[in-house]
Amino acid sequence: MGATGDIIFSGLFQGSLYAIMAVGLALIWTTIGVFNFAHGALMMIGAYATWSAVDYLGLPLPLGLFLGVAASGLIGWGLQVSLIRPFIGRDDIVLMVVIMTLSAASFFENGALELWGPRPKQLPPLVEGTVNLPGLIVSAHQLAIILISPFILAAIWYLLHKTRFGLQLRAVAQNEEASQLVGLNLKALYGIAFALSAGLAALAGIFLGGFKFMSPVMGSDPLLKAMVVVIFGGVATISGPILAAFIIGFIEAASSYYFGLYWTPAILFLVLITTLMIRPEGLLSTPTRRLS
Amino acid sequence: MTYNRNKWSWRAEALALAVGTLVLAMLPAVFGDTYTRHMLIIIFIYALAAASWDVSLGYAGIFNFGHMALFGIGLYGYAILTKQLDLNPWLAFVLAGGLSGLAAVLMSLPILRLKGIYIVLVTFGFSQLVMTLIVSQSDITGGTLGIVRIPTLPIAGHNLIRDGKIGHYYMALTLLVLGLVALRVFVRSKAGLSVVALRDNEEYATSRGISLARQRLLTLLVSSLVAGYAGAFYGAYLRTAATDVFGLSLTTLILSIVLLGGIGTIYGSVVAAALLVVASEMLANLGPWRPMLIAVLIVVVMLAYPGGLMGLLRAAMPTRRQPTAKSGRAASSEPVET
C-alpha cells in the first residue's frame, strides 16, 4: 500500500501544480498564439512578492497571497503591453516573443537576485502540520493544494466557457480579424489574458514556496514541465492540459519511485517524443488533417 | 514575399568576404594583449554557432531548440575521442563534426512531420536527453564535473601555449571563414532556395514538388556540421568540456545573437556576437546587473529594429533597399540577403 499510496499522492500533488501552471501557459498560447518563456519568472515573482508581504511586512498569509498574485498579474499585463503588443499581427511574432520573454525572464531572475539576495527563502504553508491518511502520512499543505486546485481549475473553466469574457477570448483565439470586425477590444483582451496567466503562475509559485525553498530560478523547472504538459495535452481545449498535467504528474511520480529522480526527465521526454511521433498534434487534441 | 535572387552577385559577396577576412586577419597586429585576442576567438566561435542556427531557424523557419545540443555533441565528441580514445586531435576534430551531423539526423527523424511549436518541444527534449546521457555516463564523460585538460589541435613546429594566442586566433578565423562560406553556399544554392520557399509558403512549395522532409533533414545536417565543428574547436581552445553548453543560458545567449543580428542573414550573427561579447565584457563587474542590462539591450534593439542589426544596416543604406520591400513589414517577409 505504501508505494502505491505514495505514487498516487505525489502524482496528484505534482499534477495539481502542473495543471495550474500549464493552464496559464495554454491560455496565452491559444489566445495570442505565442509561448511565454517568462512564465516561470512570473511564478517566482509571485512567490517572492508574497514572501515580502508576509515575512517583511508581517501581513497575514491570505492577504500576502492576494498581493503576490496581484503583483505578478500586473507585471504580466505590463509585459504584454511593452514586449508583445508591438509584434502582434506580424508573421515572425512567435520567434520575436520567444526572445523577448527569454530576455524578460533573465531580467526578472537577476533582478530578484539583486533585490532579495541568493539566500533560499521559505513561505509559511497554507496549513500547518501533517495528516494521517490510511497507509501514509502526508503534509497538510500538500493535501490542501490537492483539494483546492480542482476549484481553481473549475473556476478558470467556468470563466472561459460560461462567461461573456471567456466567449470573447475564445473568439479572438479562433479568428483575430473577425473578432475585431465585430468590435472586440483585442488589446484589452490580450492584456487581461496575460494578467490572468501571470496570476495563475504566481499562485503555483506561492504553493510551491510553502514546502520547498525559493530561489530566483525556482520557475525554470516548473516552466519546462508546463511546456511538456501543454504540448502533450494539446492546446485546443482547456481540459486537455489539465488532464495531461495529471498524466505527467503520475508518470513522474512512478518513474521517480522505480527509476530514481535522475532518469525521470529523460523518461518523460522519451514518452513525449514517442507520443508526438504517433500523434503530432498532442495526445488529447482532435487531429486535424493537413498537407505535408 | 519578395525574394530577390540577384541582390548580391557572387562576385560582390566573395569580395566583401575577402576584405572582411583580411581586416580580421590584421586585428592581432592592433590588439597585442592575449585577453582581447581571447575575446575575439570566443566571438568567432559564438558567431559560428549562431550563424549555423540561423540556417535552420531563419532560413528554414524550423523552431529548432536542440541546436546547442549539436554544438555540445561536437564539443564532447572531440573531448572523448582525444581524451578517452587517444586519437590524433585533428582526426578527432574531423570525426566530432561528423558525430554532430549524425545526431542531427537522429534528432530530425521525429520532427519531419511536426508543425511549429511541437518542434520546439521535441528538439528541446532531445537536448535534455543528450544532457542526461552525458551526466549519467560519468566514467566516459566526467558527468557533472566535465572533462578537463583536453588536448588542443597541434600545429607542427609551433608552440601554441606561449605564442600570445596567435595560433588559436588564426585557427578560429579560418574556421569562421570556412563555416560562413559553407553556410552561404548552401543558402544561395537551389536547395537553400527551396528551403526558404518551404518556409514562406509550405503548401505551394510542396505542390511544386519540393519534399518538406528531405529539405528539413538536409538543412539540419548542414547546420549541425558547422555547429559541431564550432563546438569541437571550442573544446580544443578552452581545453575543457562541461554540461553548461546544454543549459538554457548559453542557448539564450546564442539565440539572442541570431535574432539581434537579424534572422536569415548569416553575417548578422558575426556582428551581433561581437556586440554582445564586448558589451558583456564591459559590464563584467556589475554582478546581476550585467544580465539585466544585456536583456534590456536586446529588448530595445529588437523593438526598434525587428530586422536586427542587419536590418538596421540595411535601413542605413538606401541604395540597397528594394522598392518592393515595405518598411515595417516582418523581417521574415523581407527579401533574404543573397
Side-chain angles (χ1 to χ4, degrees):
Chain A
M1 178 62 214
T4 326
D6 258 348
I7 289 172
I8 290 174
F9 184 80
S10 157
L12 277 175
F13 172 69
Q14 295 287 3
S16 303
L17 278 186
Y18 294 162
I20 294 173
M21 279 291 280
V23 164
L25 210 54
L27 188 67
I28 301 296
W29 172 246
T30 44
T31 44
I32 315 183
V34 294
F35 237 84
N36 175 18
F37 280 89
H39 201 67
L42 289 166
M43 169 183 182
M44 177 272 300
I45 286 174
Y48 270 92
T50 302
W51 180 87
S52 290
V54 173
D55 259 50
Y56 191 73
L57 302 174
L59 300 171
L61 184 63
L63 184 60
L65 192 141
F66 172 76
L67 285 176
V69 171
S72 181
L74 201 64
I75 289 174
W77 180 83
L79 204 65
Q80 191 274 334
V81 170
S82 55
L83 301 187
I84 292 165
R85 193 172 290 171
F87 297 103
I88 297 232
R90 299 170 43 118
D91 45 11
D92 58 351
I93 177 166
V94 176
L95 206 51
M96 285 299 169
V97 169
V98 167
I99 196 68
M100 284 295 180
T101 51
L102 273 175
S103 301
S106 156
F107 184 86
F108 288 141
E109 279 171 7
N110 288 289
L113 196 62
E114 183 70 20
L115 202 60
W116 285 291
R119 286 184 61 181
K121 298 179 174 16
Q122 210 164 1
L123 280 168
L126 299 173
V127 191
E128 297 278 357
T130 55
V131 177
N132 282 321
L133 291 178
L136 72 159
I137 300 168
V138 295
S139 97
H141 172 78
Q142 290 181 323
L143 189 64
I145 289 171
I146 291 177
L147 297 175
I148 294 168
S149 297
F151 292 102
I152 295 168
L153 297 170
I156 296 291
W157 184 88
Y158 181 84
L159 187 71
L160 289 178
H161 285 265
K162 299 288 169 190
T163 63
R164 198 169 170 74
F165 164 74
L167 192 67
Q168 291 178 347
L169 217 51
R170 283 184 298 138
V172 170
Q174 276 176 16
N175 193 330
E176 242 174 47
E177 281 91 356
S179 347
Q180 278 182 297
L181 279 172
V182 297
L184 294 183
N185 185 344
L186 220 61
K187 283 180 180 172
L189 283 170
Y190 283 164
I192 295 170
F194 235 93
L196 197 63
S197 163
L200 282 169
L203 206 56
I206 295 161
F207 286 169
L208 199 65
F211 76 100
K212 254 190 179 166
F213 280 115
M214 295 153 45
S215 76
V217 292
M218 68 188 277
S220 60
D221 192 50
L223 168 72
L224 186 66
K225 295 285 164 39
M227 258 173 83
V228 170
V229 165
V230 166
I231 305 263
F232 196 63
V235 284
T237 57
I238 193 86
S239 48
I242 294 174
L243 192 57
F246 285 99
I247 294 177
I248 297 282
F250 280 112
I251 291 179
E252 221 182 355
S255 146
S256 302
Y257 190 87
Y258 292 111
F259 303 104
L261 212 53
Y262 192 73
W263 282 99
T264 300
I267 286 166
L268 208 56
F269 278 111
L270 218 52
V271 169
L272 206 91
I273 290 173
T274 321
T275 312
L276 282 177
M277 280 177 85
I278 302 161
R279 292 287 301 266
E281 259 107 11
L283 189 67
L284 305 160
S285 63
T286 40
T288 49
R289 294 184 60 82
R290 335 188 13 269
L291 300 161
S292 82
Chain B
M1 305 290 168
T2 44
Y3 191 90
N4 187 332
R5 273 198 77 164
N6 306 317
K7 216 168 165 190
W8 278 61
S9 68
W10 277 103
R11 204 165 294 160
E13 187 175 343
L15 190 69
L17 193 61
V19 170
T21 308
L22 213 59
V23 170
L24 289 177
M26 304 285 208
L27 281 185
V30 184
F31 300 111
D33 64 306
T34 52
Y35 184 67
T36 312
R37 289 175 185 176
H38 163 76
M39 248 170 64
L40 285 165
I41 294 169
I42 294 294
I43 288 172
F44 292 168
I45 295 170
Y46 283 177
L48 214 45
S52 54
W53 200 348
D54 193 15
V55 170
S56 59
L57 195 71
Y59 283 86
I62 305 168
F63 291 138
N64 167 19
F65 266 61
H67 185 80
M68 290 318 283
L70 300 171
F71 178 89
I73 287 169
L75 163 67
Y76 268 91
Y78 177 81
I80 292 165
L81 290 174
T82 50
K83 188 96 179 165
Q84 316 291 7
L85 300 179
D86 277 335
L87 279 189
N88 173 315
W90 284 102
L91 179 64
F93 179 76
V94 172
L95 290 176
L99 273 177
S100 173
L102 200 64
V105 172
L106 272 179
M107 182 180 82
S108 57
L109 291 180
I111 65 168
L112 293 180
R113 297 171 48 223
L114 293 183
K115 283 289 280 182
I117 204 78
Y118 295 97
I119 293 177
V120 173
L121 195 89
V122 174
T123 49
F124 196 80
F126 170 82
S127 74
Q128 294 293 313
L129 271 175
V130 173
M131 184 166 136
T132 316
L133 274 175
I134 284 179
V135 172
S136 61
Q137 303 302 312
S138 51
D139 12 345
I140 306 170
T141 60
T144 46
L145 299 171
I147 303 176
V148 289
R149 305 191 56 190
I150 301 168
T152 189
L153 291 165
I155 301 173
H158 179 89
N159 184 344
L160 280 166
I161 311 291
R162 301 177 184 280
D163 66 343
K165 294 204 189 293
I166 281 282
H168 278 125
Y169 179 85
Y170 285 112
M171 273 198 257
L173 180 60
T174 310
L175 189 67
L176 175 72
V177 174
L178 288 177
L180 287 177
V181 168
L183 294 172
R184 292 297 303 173
V185 166
F186 174 71
V187 300
R188 293 191 66 141
S189 69
K190 262 205 150 111
L193 280 180
S194 70
V195 163
V196 175
L198 280 168
R199 178 197 72 192
D200 288 342
N201 194 336
E202 193 183 302
E203 283 77 11
Y204 184 59
T206 44
S207 77
R208 297 296 304 270
I210 301 174
S211 157
L212 176 71
R214 204 185 61 201
Q215 298 314 79
R216 213 171 246 187
L217 194 68
L218 183 67
T219 307
L220 284 168
L221 189 63
V222 171
S223 154
S224 69
L225 283 174
V226 176
Y229 283 118
F233 183 76
Y234 191 68
Y237 173 62
L238 290 179
R239 304 190 56 198
T240 55
T243 49
D244 301 5
V245 287
F246 300 99
L248 200 60
S249 56
L250 188 64
T251 293
T252 306
L253 174 70
I254 304 293
L255 185 64
S256 307
I257 291 175
V258 177
L259 290 171
L260 204 59
I263 53 168
T265 58
I266 306 282
Y267 295 120
S269 296
V270 185
V271 182
L275 177 78
L276 273 189
V277 172
V278 171
S280 201
E281 268 329 301
M282 281 161 69
L283 307 168
N285 43 16
L286 290 178
W289 285 100
R290 170 160 88 166
M292 286 169 81
L293 287 169
I294 294 282
V296 170
L297 171 83
I298 292 167
V299 163
V300 168
V301 171
M302 294 318 289
L303 282 173
Y305 293 95
L309 295 170
M310 286 307 260
L312 190 156
L313 288 176
R314 214 175 300 158
M317 288 196 278
T319 46
R320 292 264 317 282
R321 296 196 62 160
Q322 298 293 309
T324 47
K326 298 181 191 70
S327 51
R329 285 281 304 280
S332 61
S333 67
E334 274 190 14
V336 174
E337 290 278 315
T338 51

